[in-house]
């Protein structure tokens, strides 16, 4: 079936270190979205990637969509305490079942 | 303010006592959905609705019911709650019929079933 694997499940980093989370799909995606959930909060949309090989940046966050449109990554440069939370990818398989990755929980060690 | 409103935010109940979690959105969105969030399992879709009177099962529909009688409301019904339904529940909505559209989430409802 249509599945996506998101890794790692947890990541603990020192403040100032970089962080990356990956989403890997077994099938080609129409597009992929990324969401962030702060502790105690709800998921909030960050960005959408549509084109093969697309790279988008939001300040210290860099989002990539693979050439085959089967995988994606979110990279944070020089993490800050405000980056704490769980990051989810939401792959679009072209149907209305809007599934999410299992999430990567980022904690920052000051 | 555009938003998705869920109630109650917190609920402790006992096994077998029927309960309803309400969800309402003020954005005139066609699509609405319920998710449950459990540690290590991410967000799993329970049910979704593409429009009024149209509902479909997500990945974990067992033990839940939904209805979509009005565009703005999408209640989640637990007819006979069990402890394995203890979870954090999110309602979400988006405009239109394209999977590319952005989901807006409610604040969440934390349910404990004893």
């Amino acid at each position: 079936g249509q599945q996506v694997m998101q890794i790692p499940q947890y990541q603990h980093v020192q403040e100032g270190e970089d962080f990356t989370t990956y989403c890997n799909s077994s099938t080609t995606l129409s597009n992929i979205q990324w969401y962030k959930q702060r502790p105690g909060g709800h998921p909030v949309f960050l960005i959408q990637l549509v084109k093969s090989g697309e790279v988008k940046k939001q300040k210290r966050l860099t989002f990539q969509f693979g050439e085959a449109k089967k995988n994606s990554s979110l990279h944070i440069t020089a993490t800050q305490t405000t980056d704490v939370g769980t990051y989810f990818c939401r792959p679009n398989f072209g149907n209305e079942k809007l599934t999410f990755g299992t999430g990567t929980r980022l904690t920052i060690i000051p | 303010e555009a938003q998705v409103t869920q109630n109650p935010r917190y609920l402790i109940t006992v096994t077998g006592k029927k309960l309803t979690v309400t969800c309402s959105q003020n954005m005139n969105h066609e699509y609405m959905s319920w998710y449950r969030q459990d540690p290590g399992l991410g967000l799993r879709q329970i049910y979704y609705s593409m429009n009024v009177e149209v509902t479909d099962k997500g990945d974990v529909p067992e033990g839940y019911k939904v209805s979509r009688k009005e565009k703005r409301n999408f209640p989640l019904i637990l007819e006979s709650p069990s402890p394995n339904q203890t979870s954090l529940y999110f309602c979400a909505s988006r405009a239109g019929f394209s999977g590319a559209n952005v989901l807006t989430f409610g604040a969440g409802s934390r349910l404990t079933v004893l």
Side-chain angles (χ1 to χ4, degrees), chain B residues 29 41 77 90 107:
Chain B
H29 284 171
L41 298 176
I77 303 156
F90 288 103

Side-chain angles (χ1 to χ4, degrees), chain A residues 33-50:
Chain A
Q33 296 176 348
W34 286 90
Y35 291 74
K36 176 183 178 181
Q37 181 182 23
R38 294 183 184 273
H42 58 276
V44 175
F45 173 78
L46 291 176
I47 209 159
Q48 176 171 284
L49 305 170
V50 180

Side-chain angles (χ1 to χ4, degrees), chain A residues 3-7 22-26 70-72 89:
Chain A
Q3 296 183 38
V4 66
M5 177 173 289
Q6 188 172 355
I7 55 171
Y22 302 89
C23 264
N24 300 309
S25 170
S26 55
K70 287 185 176 182
N71 48 62
S72 181
C89 64

Side-chain angles (χ1 to χ4, degrees), chain B residues 67-86:
Chain B
S67 68
R68 187 90 182 274
K69 294 185 172 61
E70 306 166 281
K71 197 172 187 179
R72 62 182 293 126
N73 296 323
F74 190 45
L76 179 69
I77 303 156
L78 286 72
E79 293 271 2
S80 183
S82 61
N84 64 12
Q85 292 178 299
T86 293

Side-chain angles (χ1 to χ4, degrees), chain A residues 9 33 37 48 90 96 98, chain B residues 31 35 37 94 97 99-100:
Chain A
Q9 189 173 352
Q33 296 176 348
Q37 181 182 23
Q48 176 171 284
R90 189 186 77 68
E96 293 303 330
L98 303 187
Chain B
Y31 185 102
Y35 293 87
Q37 183 175 17
R94 66 160 169 79
F97 305 106

Side-chain angles (χ1 to χ4, degrees), chain B residues 87-103:
Chain B
S87 187
L88 177 58
Y89 292 87
F90 288 103
C91 181
S93 72
R94 66 160 169 79
F97 305 106
S98 168
N101 290 335
V102 174
L103 279 167

Side-chain angles (χ1 to χ4, degrees), chain A residues 66-77:
Chain A
E67 293 290 340
K69 298 183 70 173
K70 287 185 176 182
N71 48 62
S72 181
S73 65
L74 157 58
H75 179 82
I76 303 177
T77 303

Side-chain angles (χ1 to χ4, degrees), chain A residues 88-102:
Chain A
F88 292 97
C89 64
R90 189 186 77 68
N92 183 0
F93 295 105
N95 57 38
E96 293 303 330
K97 268 192 175 182
L98 303 187
T99 56
F100 281 79
T102 49

